[in-house]
Amino acid sequence: MKTNRFLFTLLFFTISIIAFAQNQTAKVAGIVLDENNKPIEGVTISYQTKSATTNENGFYELTVPANQKIILVFTHTALKSITVPIQLKPGENFEYHVMMNDRAEQLQDVVVTSSRRRVQGITSIEPETIRRNPSANAGIESVLKTFAGVNSNSELSTQYAVRGGNYDENLVYVNEIEVYRPFLIRSGQQEGLSFTNTDMVQNVDFSAGGFQAKFGDKLSSVLDITYRKPTKYGIAAEGSFLGGSITGEGISKNKKWSAITGIRYRDNSLLVNSQETQTNFRPTFADVQTNVNFNPNEKWQFSFLGNVSQNIYNYQPLTRQTNFGTIDEPIALQVFYEGQENDKYQTLFGAFKTNYVANENNTFRLISSIYHTQEQEYFDIYAAYFLGEVDTNIGSETLGQVTFNRGIGTQLNHARNDLDALIVNAEIKGTHQINNKKHQIDWGFKYTRENIRDRIVEWEVIDSAGFNINPPRPIIDIPNDQPYKPYTGPLVPYQNVRATNFVDIDRFSGFAQWNTKTKIGESQFWVTAGARFHSWLVSGDAISGAKRQTVFSPRAQFALKPDWEKDMLFRLSVGYYHQPPFYRELRDQNGTVNPNVKAQQSIHFVFSNDFNFKMNNRPFKLVTEAYYKTMTDVNTYTLENVRIRYRANNDAVAYAYGLDMRLNGEFVPGTESWLSFGYMKTEENQNDRGYIARPTDQRLKFGILFQDYMPNIPNMKLYMNLVYNTGLPGGSPSYADPYVYQSRLRDYRRADVGFSYVLTERNNERPEGHWLKKFKDLSVGFEIYNLFNNQNAITNTWVRDVYTKNQYGIPNYMTTRVFNVKLTAKL
């Protein structure tokens, strides 16, 4: 408790210093764009002997003297120069955005906003914000989890749920290519690396619902990522206690070839060893990813995206003790383990993309990809548990220890699961500008072939107080009155799933979409309307009676920007969203494949307001979205950590509604931060039994991503990530009726803080030949994960008390406070 108070005081003191310290300098920062609103790298911004250079995102930042009139000069080898006179106050942070071309010598101040993304309701995230964000599982997903409507209770997982959906309901694209994640993953600590390499990222766009028809067939969200096309040679590296990465990029002399390649390695031992279960455990994850581009002329562009990854997860649990209950009746669970788990996930991914510009108004794209994953999940783990009462007498020599065992039992879990999946895609897309670009039409057709070879062998044996516990649904009707009468029936596992499936799925899908911009009076009005179709057939060994199914999904988005003095935009999105079943959704809890599972259907209604304003002469944005989703043919499921097991019977209806709010801007001059708040309720009704909370029913959400620097020590940067979620439903024991178990986990509270000292902050003031001049960026960071050491639970372990016949839901807690040090360098 004293440690928490000390850390809170230290954090408050640090923020106070940052907020109020001042000096006699000022800062000017902004983005330099070309005529096509694309960022320009390599623009030099200078005054007298000091200068700065724009990065790959076109961003620059320069410290200048205050109370002094100076002239900034923007220069680039291929563009006309721009001169700008400015005079700033002490501590002022001036935002100046510039558009450069090869004709005009000087332009006026240009405020850059991405009108296309704003009209579509898409949130853009700066790559540098992603790279700097402190998180136990750093990456794009960790930033998304600070958004309203996005939740995840596992800091070891890259999976997230959006507005009542589950982890399988989110689309992820890299360079317009859909990417996949492993199938057998059941725990966040098995995942390792996200597919996306943040050091290779150029743009990140996210939509939490109501997205356009050009995006695929999922129910919840879209994450659209674009990798960077190098314009010169460079190398970046990062190392920490959690692993490291190195990324290299380059371009040929004739500017036709460019490539960027990243290698990553991660070791989660630092995190998993902080959990309650003591283990002999060193999980390792590694991948190599490359993006190669070839532009032979102005009409043709070719690119290749490849990824090879391997996750090795060897797990040997030793002991565990979890204290729970109440102050009056504290209870402890002690577990002693034998055995081990040996998992391996190996994936290969390759994609080719061809872009043909027929003329100014017509563009065609051909995309093909292949994804191959080989996964194994082998374990034999024996656990002996003791459910006991804890000594609470202050002054007792056994304070906090178990003094009386009220429940004793053993459990043996066995699995030999293997999966081999091959997914092949071929897609053609077109974009056409009509009537002087007043109208745009997009269309596309896609063929997908999925070949799945799956063997599942899982069983669990439970022994409590010396007698075997039979399944809750007896195979044969033999009375079992143990221990009072001998049991004469066969001994069978409490759970037993055995299946071998060879499944092929053929899919055809396509879309057509039209959008235009017009005026209603003096107000600007945008319309986007389109539709998707998806047709699929399931076949394979021992599969009969399968029927081809087809769904049709019309969607529309409207945006209105009134001719007001205030910069406001109103959006309305409505449409049908279908999710045709993937293999995992076809397989029920017994491992049997049902080829005629229907596509889950959702109708989205999203109304939003986007308000841009200035506060203290700095830009801010407030986005408010109210949404309602009604769902039919719902494929209900159980959630164990991050593993989803479907019932594969479309026996439910559901709904979700809520309100998301996000305020982002320069709370501290020169840096972007945001606050988010979300309220959501989602329930399902199985077979007309009444509505109960869905496994992702996250009622309240608060998130903060805060960036800052110390004016008196501008080299020191602060990055803070705060999340608060109300508790999710805690699940139910295996085979139990979810209508009986509607308890919730405790609230999720987490704070991650990072401090970074940038050694190259004042490189423009250093003389030529200084060793730091060789680096674009060199920084040393110190991070604290779970700053306040909160105990956050992701699931419950269900244990029986033979005396009271009760079952206790014992929380499975995530990581405790962890410290990390990292070094980042960029040449």
Side-chain angles (χ1 to χ4, degrees):
M1 189 68 172
K2 291 182 178 179
T3 303
N4 286 348
R5 290 177 179 173
F6 171 74
L7 289 170
F8 182 83
T9 304
L10 176 63
L11 179 62
F12 180 81
F13 180 70
T14 302
I15 295 174
S16 299
I17 292 175
I18 293 170
F20 295 105
Q22 296 290 330
N23 59 12
Q24 294 302 309
T25 61
K27 280 192 176 184
V28 57
I31 299 173
V32 182
L33 302 178
D34 64 14
E35 293 175 294
N36 298 317
N37 275 348
K38 294 182 178 179
I40 307 174
E41 184 179 8
V43 176
T44 299
I45 302 93
S46 61
Y47 79 97
Q48 297 177 1
T49 60
K50 299 183 178 181
S51 65
T53 304
T54 57
N55 63 14
E56 63 271 14
N57 300 313
F59 177 79
Y60 73 92
E61 183 179 84
L62 186 63
T63 301
V64 299
N67 293 326
Q68 179 180 335
K69 187 173 182 178
I70 63 172
I71 296 177
L72 293 181
V73 181
F74 294 76
T75 58
H76 189 273
T77 56
L79 303 170
K80 295 294 185 180
S81 299
I82 296 175
T83 58
V84 181
I86 62 171
Q87 183 173 343
L88 304 179
K89 299 177 182 179
E92 183 178 355
N93 284 266
F94 181 65
E95 181 182 358
Y96 189 80
H97 304 298
V98 173
M99 183 176 290
M100 298 183 72
N101 60 31
D102 58 359
R103 297 185 301 275
E105 284 287 346
Q106 183 165 342
L107 296 175
Q108 296 299 319
D109 192 3
V110 178
V111 178
V112 177
T113 58
S114 179
S115 59
R116 180 183 64 84
R117 293 182 175 89
R118 188 184 184 195
V119 168
Q120 295 175 358
I122 291 175
T123 301
S124 295
I125 309 171
E126 287 295 329
E128 194 61 27
T129 300
I130 298 168
R131 287 189 277 268
R132 297 293 187 184
N133 182 53
S135 173
N137 210 334
I140 294 171
E141 296 83 1
S142 68
V143 175
L144 291 181
K145 292 173 186 178
T146 65
F147 287 8
V150 181
N151 72 75
S152 174
N153 276 19
S154 174
E155 59 270 17
L156 294 177
S157 172
T158 60
Q159 304 310 311
Y160 53 90
V162 179
R163 293 179 177 175
N166 65 35
Y167 305 135
D168 287 341
E169 296 180 8
N170 306 302
L171 285 163
V172 180
Y173 293 99
V174 174
N175 294 351
E176 292 190 272
I177 302 159
E178 187 174 356
V179 298
Y180 304 90
R181 70 185 184 99
F183 292 73
L184 296 183
I185 294 289
R186 71 169 66 204
S187 172
Q189 64 191 26
Q190 299 172 2
E191 286 184 45
L193 297 164
S194 164
F195 179 92
T196 308
N197 187 330
T198 55
D199 289 330
M200 300 170 63
V201 168
Q202 171 70 51
N203 295 315
V204 178
D205 295 334
F206 178 72
S207 174
F211 43 89
Q212 298 178 358
K214 67 179 181 180
F215 295 113
D217 297 290
K218 296 284 187 180
L219 292 181
S220 294
S221 73
V222 172
L223 179 62
D224 191 12
I225 301 162
T226 304
Y227 275 179
R228 187 169 66 251
K229 291 184 178 180
T231 57
K232 59 183 179 180
Y233 288 95
I235 188 168
E238 181 179 293
S240 74
F241 292 155
L242 291 172
S245 66
I246 183 168
T247 304
E249 58 187 284
I251 188 170
S252 64
K253 290 184 179 181
N254 61 9
K255 309 295 184 182
K256 292 184 177 181
W257 288 89
S258 66
I260 181 170
T261 300
I263 302 173
R264 296 182 294 173
Y265 172 80
R266 185 174 176 87
D267 184 338
N268 270 354
S269 301
L270 181 70
L271 297 170
V272 297
N273 288 338
S274 73
Q275 295 177 302
E276 287 186 329
T277 302
Q278 301 301 309
T279 65
N280 289 325
F281 183 28
R282 189 172 183 180
T284 58
F285 316 101
D287 82 339
V288 179
Q289 198 163 152
T290 187
N291 186 31
V292 181
N293 300 281
F294 175 53
N295 300 333
N297 51 53
E298 293 182 356
K299 288 186 174 294
W300 289 95
Q301 297 177 9
F302 302 92
S303 64
F304 169 76
L305 176 64
N307 179 70
V308 178
S309 68
Q310 180 172 278
N311 297 354
I312 298 176
Y313 179 83
N314 295 318
Y315 177 65
Q316 185 180 5
L318 300 175
T319 62
R320 165 186 173 179
Q321 177 168 332
T322 302
N323 297 326
F324 64 103
T326 64
I327 296 177
D328 294 332
E329 189 179 359
I331 304 174
L333 172 69
Q334 292 179 305
V335 186
F336 299 90
Y337 296 96
E338 292 183 13
Q340 63 180 348
E341 180 174 352
N342 185 356
D343 300 339
K344 182 183 293 185
Y345 311 91
Q346 180 174 296
T347 61
L348 302 173
F349 178 82
F352 289 93
K353 180 180 176 182
T354 302
N355 192 73
Y356 173 64
V357 182
N359 51 51
E360 183 181 0
N361 297 318
N362 298 283
T363 303
F364 300 90
R365 300 180 298 283
L366 179 63
I367 302 171
S368 61
S369 68
I370 183 168
Y371 174 82
H372 184 213
T373 180
Q374 292 179 311
E375 306 174 22
Q376 72 170 38
E377 186 182 44
Y378 294 174
F379 58 79
D380 288 283
I381 297 178
Y382 172 82
Y385 71 84
F386 301 85
L387 193 64
E389 298 178 1
V390 179
D391 187 356
T392 59
N393 293 323
I394 298 177
S396 172
E397 295 181 356
T398 59
L399 177 66
Q401 299 180 15
V402 176
T403 57
F404 174 73
N405 287 320
R406 58 195 295 180
I408 301 173
T410 60
Q411 179 176 309
L412 176 60
N413 284 283
H414 167 92
R416 293 293 184 271
N417 298 332
D418 293 280
L419 184 138
D420 189 304
L422 182 67
I423 303 173
V424 179
N425 295 283
E427 182 176 14
I428 185 171
K429 293 182 176 181
T431 299
H432 309 281
Q433 306 283 348
I434 302 174
N435 194 13
N436 294 324
K437 299 185 179 181
K438 291 183 179 180
H439 304 271
Q440 178 174 311
I441 294 177
D442 293 273
W443 57 268
F445 294 97
K446 182 179 181 180
Y447 170 71
T448 301
R449 171 79 173 186
E450 300 165 9
N451 178 254
I452 312 293
R453 296 165 295 282
D454 178 31
R455 182 192 72 166
I456 178 172
V457 178
E458 289 186 15
W459 50 259
E460 176 186 19
V461 174
I462 297 177
D463 177 89
S464 181
F467 61 91
N468 186 73
I469 296 180
N470 280 336
R473 301 170 185 172
I475 300 175
I476 53 178
D477 188 15
I478 297 179
N480 183 2
D481 297 325
Q482 295 184 76
Y484 308 105
K485 295 180 181 179
Y487 176 67
T488 58
L491 295 179
V492 295
Y494 185 78
Q495 297 183 53
N496 188 15
V497 179
R498 295 174 182 267
T500 301
N501 299 312
F502 296 89
V503 177
D504 294 313
I505 308 175
D506 288 284
R507 303 180 187 271
F508 292 94
S509 62
F511 74 92
Q513 178 176 294
W514 162 76
N515 66 68
T516 188
K517 176 183 176 181
T518 184
K519 281 194 172 184
I520 299 179
E522 295 300 320
S523 300
Q524 299 180 66
F525 186 63
W526 292 264
V527 178
T528 301
R532 293 190 63 84
F533 80 91
H534 193 123
S535 178
W536 73 98
L537 176 65
V538 181
S539 60
D541 294 354
I543 291 179
S544 60
K547 299 178 181 178
R548 177 168 290 278
Q549 301 184 61
T550 303
V551 292
F552 183 71
S553 308
R555 306 171 188 176
Q557 294 83 30
F558 309 92
L560 176 68
K561 189 177 187 304
D563 184 26
W564 296 347
E565 182 178 345
K566 293 183 178 180
D567 185 3
M568 279 197 175
L569 183 78
F570 297 91
R571 292 188 303 269
L572 174 64
S573 301
V574 61
Y576 279 79
Y577 295 81
H578 289 93
Q579 182 158 321
F582 205 50
Y583 169 71
R584 189 158 56 177
E585 295 162 81
L586 297 171
R587 193 182 73 181
D588 66 15
Q589 294 176 327
N590 296 318
T592 303
V593 171
N594 178 3
N596 293 317
V597 171
K598 297 178 182 178
Q600 299 183 83
Q601 176 180 284
S602 176
I603 304 177
H604 289 200
F605 300 92
V606 183
F607 179 75
S608 60
N609 172 256
D610 189 315
F611 177 31
N612 287 340
F613 62 97
K614 284 197 172 184
M615 186 167 57
N616 295 330
N617 203 32
R618 298 196 294 271
F620 284 84
K621 174 184 284 190
L622 175 64
V623 178
T624 305
E625 290 194 336
Y627 59 90
Y628 178 81
K629 298 191 291 186
T630 176
M631 291 163 270
T632 55
D633 292 324
V634 173
N635 195 345
T636 56
Y637 60 91
T638 58
L639 196 59
E640 175 193 350
N641 203 296
V642 298
R643 182 176 68 168
I644 300 172
R645 282 199 163 170
Y646 293 91
R647 294 185 176 88
N649 54 12
N650 300 111
D651 67 345
V653 295
Y655 69 84
Y657 66 81
L659 176 70
D660 290 350
M661 301 180 69
R662 180 170 175 259
L663 174 66
N664 73 292
E666 296 186 12
F667 293 93
V668 175
T671 64
E672 183 185 23
S673 303
W674 59 74
L675 311 172
S676 62
F677 163 77
Y679 169 79
M680 183 198 68
K681 183 177 182 179
T682 181
E683 292 184 323
E684 63 188 18
N685 182 353
Q686 299 179 26
N687 294 319
D688 294 324
R689 297 179 62 193
Y691 282 93
I692 58 173
R694 304 194 79 194
T696 54
D697 184 30
Q698 189 84 76
R699 292 296 173 88
L700 291 178
K701 165 70 176 284
F702 294 92
I704 298 175
L705 189 145
F706 184 73
Q707 302 182 72
D708 207 343
Y709 64 92
M710 297 183 182
N712 287 335
I713 314 176
N715 298 48
M716 181 64 73
K717 314 290 184 181
L718 168 70
Y719 308 92
M720 184 166 58
N721 188 345
L722 305 176
V723 174
Y724 169 81
N725 299 329
T726 52
L728 288 167
S732 58
S734 298
Y735 297 107
D737 185 350
Y739 277 78
V740 178
Y741 294 86
Q742 283 294 297
S743 62
R744 287 183 178 265
L745 299 171
R746 64 172 61 184
D747 294 352
Y748 182 88
R749 298 162 295 168
R750 188 173 178 89
D752 297 327
V753 179
F755 298 89
S756 179
Y757 188 82
V758 184
L759 299 172
T760 52
E761 178 74 13
R762 296 184 178 273
N763 258 7
N764 59 317
E765 301 175 5
R766 294 188 171 97
E768 293 298 327
H770 194 283
W771 68 276
L772 284 174
K773 281 276 192 177
K774 299 177 181 178
F775 295 91
K776 292 181 181 178
D777 177 49
L778 182 62
S779 58
V780 179
F782 176 70
E783 297 177 334
I784 309 174
Y785 308 139
N786 197 0
L787 178 66
F788 302 113
N789 203 27
N790 293 313
Q791 284 190 310
N792 294 312
I794 185 171
T795 52
N796 281 326
T797 294
W798 297 91
V799 174
R800 296 162 183 77
D801 180 355
V802 69
Y803 296 103
T804 64
K805 308 299 183 183
N806 290 329
Q807 290 197 91
Y808 293 93
I810 301 169
N812 294 316
Y813 293 121
M814 298 302 293
T815 58
T816 56
R817 185 188 298 117
V818 175
F819 300 92
N820 186 34
V821 177
K822 70 178 182 179
L823 174 68
T824 303
K826 186 175 183 181
L827 296 172

